[in-house]
Amino acid sequence: MSSPRHVFYISDRTGLTAENIGEALLNQFGNLSFKRHTHPFVDTPEKARAVVEKVNRSRQENGQRPIAFVSVVNDEIREVIKQADAFHINFFETFLGLLEKELNTEAVAAEQGHHSIGNTKRYDARMEAVNFSLNHDDGVSDKNLQEADVILMGVSRSGKTPTCLYLALQYGIRAANYPLIPDDLESADLPRMVKPYKDKLFGLTIQPERLQTIRQERRPNSTYARIDTCRSEVADAQSMFRRHGIPFANTTDKSVEELAVHILQACKLKRRF
């Protein structure tokens, strides 16, 4: 088996843009393995030269030319990074010229990057949504629950909390979640706390075998983690969703990114910023 190809994400900001686009491209090569290195805030020539040394060292030690996904605005810093012995994909150089031609104007760099706090309205919306999700995690409170954009329901460990936080951080969605406990699953009615907000409910389900694996890591050899417990709870939860006409999705094979987009579409929600 060949050694993994080294991949460098180099950015003058957080590196999220380079990582997101780079990962989307690398995912098309599922037959290959990659070793990733992320270098954010490369915003001076000195930092750029230090990264170039690391890339070149990787080339010498690994024997393969590294791949460099570069998201850097400053021309001087980009020129330094180009000295690295790597296959370069520079997002600004690739796309900016095309946009300038189409818009018939030269680009003027903003003072703050896409993931910076410069856009305070956008940042505040995200933080407000995150705080809302944290304050309404696992049904701890019904205070201001009417302000929720969506309320996720599901059995314990079905992926409610990470999905809520992702929706909040990435889209500014006020997402609450409610854990279905045995008493809820034995009832023919919706849980009291969320019943007034039926139109905001969205269910999460999961394959019992996957659920058992997750629960076994949390509480090994417990009744909570037994496969028959998992099967019973999942079946009862799905019956509840169908009985009350609550849309739901299976989290087993979905990433949190895919799941979030699915929920946005199913619930007709829009990004708040």
Side-chain angles (χ1 to χ4, degrees), residues 118-167:
N119 187 336
T120 55
K121 185 176 181 180
R122 179 176 184 271
Y123 182 82
D124 289 346
R126 293 166 64 202
M127 293 305 102
E128 179 187 351
V130 169
N131 285 330
F132 184 91
S133 292
L134 290 173
N135 290 331
H136 295 85
D137 184 41
D138 269 349
V140 295
S141 172
D142 61 356
K143 183 180 180 181
N144 301 324
L145 197 56
Q146 71 276 5
E147 296 179 8
D149 297 310
V150 64
I151 302 171
L152 302 186
M153 294 174 60
V155 300
S156 173
R157 314 311 291 178
S158 57
K160 301 181 299 299
T161 297
T163 305
C164 282
L165 291 176
Y166 187 85
L167 282 167

Side-chain angles (χ1 to χ4, degrees), residues 40-85:
F41 300 109
V42 181
D43 50 9
T44 67
E46 291 74 23
K47 291 180 181 178
R49 282 189 280 271
V51 171
V52 168
E53 290 183 9
K54 293 179 181 179
V55 174
N56 291 342
R57 190 180 311 122
S58 170
R59 173 70 171 92
Q60 295 169 0
E61 295 175 354
N62 185 255
Q64 299 183 87
R65 186 165 62 147
I67 299 170
F69 291 104
V70 183
S71 175
V72 173
V73 176
N74 184 274
D75 291 335
E76 181 184 2
I77 296 173
R78 282 207 307 266
E79 287 302 316
V80 173
I81 294 172
K82 284 181 183 178
Q83 298 172 17
D85 187 6

Side-chain angles (χ1 to χ4, degrees), residues 215-234:
R215 288 184 172 184
Q216 184 70 12
E217 293 175 355
R218 185 177 177 84
R219 298 182 195 169
N221 304 317
S222 63
T223 301
Y224 169 79
R226 284 170 49 181
I227 187 62
D228 56 338
T229 301
C230 296
R231 285 174 178 156
S232 175
E233 289 189 12
V234 168

Side-chain angles (χ1 to χ4, degrees), residues 241-257:
F241 300 152
R242 294 189 179 100
R243 184 165 59 249
H244 295 283
I246 298 169
F248 64 94
N250 193 314
T251 67
T252 306
D253 298 315
K254 279 187 172 66
S255 67
V256 68
E257 294 88 351

